[in-house]
Amino acid sequence: MTEKVRVRFAPSPTGPLHVGGVRTALYNYLFAKHHGGDFIIRIEDTDQTRLVPGAEEYILRSLEWCGIHADYGPHIGGPDAPYRQSERKPIYKAYAEELVAKGHAYYAFDTPEQIEEMREKAKAAGNKSPQYNAITRQYMLNSLTLPAEEVQKRLESNEPYVIRMLVPRKEEIRFEDKIRGWVSVHSSQLDDKVLLKSDGMPTYHLANVVDDHLMKITHVIRGEEWLPSTPLHVLLYRGFGWEMPVFAHLPLLLSPDDSGKLSKRDGDRYGFPVFPLEWVDPITGNKSSGYKESGYLPEAFINFLAFLGWNPGTHQEVFSMQELIQHFSLERVGKSGVKFDKKKSIWYNQYYIRKKSPEELLPYVVQDLEKKGWPIPAAPYLKRVIELLSDRVEYLTDFTNLAPYFFLRPNTYEPELIEKSWKTQNIAFLIDFSRQLQGIQEWNSKNLEMLGKQLASEKGLSAGKIMPTIRLAVTGVTFGPGVFDILELLGKEETLWRIDQALQKIPVPTEKL
Ligand code: GLU
């Protein structure tokens, strides 16, 4: 490749970025960086009716969190600025007119009512999905059917018009897709799409192709849903006489049950986020959690996402961003849809959490505690909590969610655990145990365990019986690391206080004889 690789991620700010969109951005980024090229962000906001406040800012923030950094974009600037299509409006009209002049597009003056009428007539004649195309355009009000002077007059008197693509009537349009191979579509399948709207705004197709050309985009890497638009884009490149970029259409992300395209509803149903960051709908105020808030590390999310459609061809599953850049190629992106796999996302997250030191994990836990409004213990205490739990957690938020007792005193006790372990004998043991704890010389888990086990055996109880009772008293729940490790960390005073509380709060069982 002699030309510098330049790719773009071109989202429309019509809502939050979905995992599929993040994957598109990621593959573009990896491809660009692999080839030492540029990664550009371009905001495609020409359809002003569909804009959602906050969506653009959300998209940019999400990519930052993922570690997908653009070389140029609306927030950075660059040689082809502006990177927001609404700010490029004056550029497009001249290009649409150039296509008219070259005979590849035409002016159309039909009112919405006239178009509707055409549709009704065609439907009545048996055409189920009538379109403005090579057949119907012959009967409509456009610069192909009207005399030239009439067209001129209408344009001069500022009559509303659109510019439409003149799609050839009978032609096989072929292009090579880097992932799918040769794609061939007959022009009779296409309609004469509007390129320039009556308000002077371009449609997606015109703006997209013009900008890809002006920004010297070498590879268009985008989702499969854009494949049906590509034949029109091919015609546009041809019409302008421009060199085409390489096209690569990425496979769809499918729901975990294979029922179709991955949707937000699948996320709700199977309990996983579909957005990178929390999204608050500006109209309804409804919140949707993101990967960040759900306790994912960005590097785990990215590694997981990279594998939804690409594979390195080896058994290696763990890749840092740098390694992904090094190994990524479009040749190893598959054609068929990829099923979303929640378990795998957790596997990656666990892996990356375990790889981090307590020191590195500390800020995440502090942030989580702040968010919850819980007391924040000193760093050494927190690091020990992390050490004790990091083998067991799936999400960063599990440090607090699964073991709140490290931060708050229990005020409820799991009924099943009470049922199982709150027996008269065990309670008697607990009372003695707490008495003996007062005199313990060195408060560490080894000594605590020795003391507990010795006392249990004196009372003819097994260690398996007494440990859940101690756990119940100090934590209130079943889940957790070794019970004596918990006691060691909580400290003497707190342990004694909690045992005392439990003895007061949990009712003594009425045992059947
Ligand atoms: N604006 C389109 C989108 O929202 C971009 C499609 C493309 O990459 O060409 O996905």
Side-chain angles (χ1 to χ4, degrees), residues 173-177 181-183 185 227 230-231 234 244 247 249:
I173 303 162
R174 275 163 61 79
F175 61 93
E176 194 177 5
D177 186 277
W182 282 97
V183 179
V185 177
L227 194 59
T230 311
V234 171
M244 275 204 307
F247 288 106
H249 288 88

Side-chain angles (χ1 to χ4, degrees), residues 81-230:
Y83 290 95
R84 207 174 275 119
Q85 287 184 329
S86 58
E87 293 166 19
R88 302 168 64 79
K89 185 177 167 189
I91 297 177
Y92 307 110
K93 192 170 177 221
Y95 283 103
E97 282 165 351
E98 180 185 329
L99 272 188
V100 177
K102 287 183 164 163
H104 299 299
Y106 59 91
Y107 297 107
F109 301 97
D110 319 270
T111 61
E113 294 75 31
Q114 285 166 325
I115 293 178
E116 195 43 43
E117 199 183 317
M118 173 271 279
R119 290 218 170 95
E120 289 307 321
K121 273 194 194 151
K123 270 191 200 158
N127 181 351
K128 280 198 202 97
S129 50
Q131 288 181 319
Y132 205 118
N133 60 17
I135 310 281
T136 51
R137 69 182 171 226
Q138 302 174 60
Y139 312 108
M140 305 300 287
L141 275 185
N142 54 50
S143 56
L144 305 171
T145 58
L146 295 169
E149 315 82 71
E150 162 100 32
V151 173
Q152 205 48 40
K153 227 170 63 203
R154 285 181 183 246
L155 292 178
E156 274 161 17
S157 60
N158 285 335
E159 213 176 286
Y161 67 87
V162 298
I163 294 183
R164 285 182 181 271
M165 186 71 190
L166 180 64
V167 174
R169 178 149 186 199
K170 281 189 194 153
E171 205 186 304
E172 205 57 37
I173 303 162
R174 275 163 61 79
F175 61 93
E176 194 177 5
D177 186 277
K178 193 89 182 146
I179 294 168
R180 267 140 229 285
W182 282 97
V183 179
S184 175
V185 177
H186 196 267
S187 64
S188 60
Q189 307 291 319
L190 307 182
D191 60 335
D192 289 355
K193 281 261 178 316
V194 171
L195 301 176
L196 196 78
K197 294 184 274 191
S198 55
D199 61 2
M201 265 293 194
T203 56
Y204 152 73
H205 304 287
L206 179 68
N208 185 271
V209 166
V210 166
D211 283 346
D212 281 348
H213 170 71
L214 294 177
M215 296 180 182
K216 298 180 212 64
I217 298 302
T218 56
H219 296 74
V220 167
I221 304 168
R222 61 185 172 194
E224 189 182 301
E225 62 274 28
W226 299 101
L227 194 59
S229 300
T230 311

Side-chain angles (χ1 to χ4, degrees), residues 315-334:
H315 291 301
Q316 188 180 342
E317 287 190 291
V318 174
F319 283 80
S320 66
M321 190 68 104
Q322 276 317 308
E323 288 170 320
L324 286 172
I325 290 172
Q326 201 185 329
H327 290 91
F328 185 80
S329 76
L330 289 173
E331 282 75 22
R332 298 216 63 88
V333 174

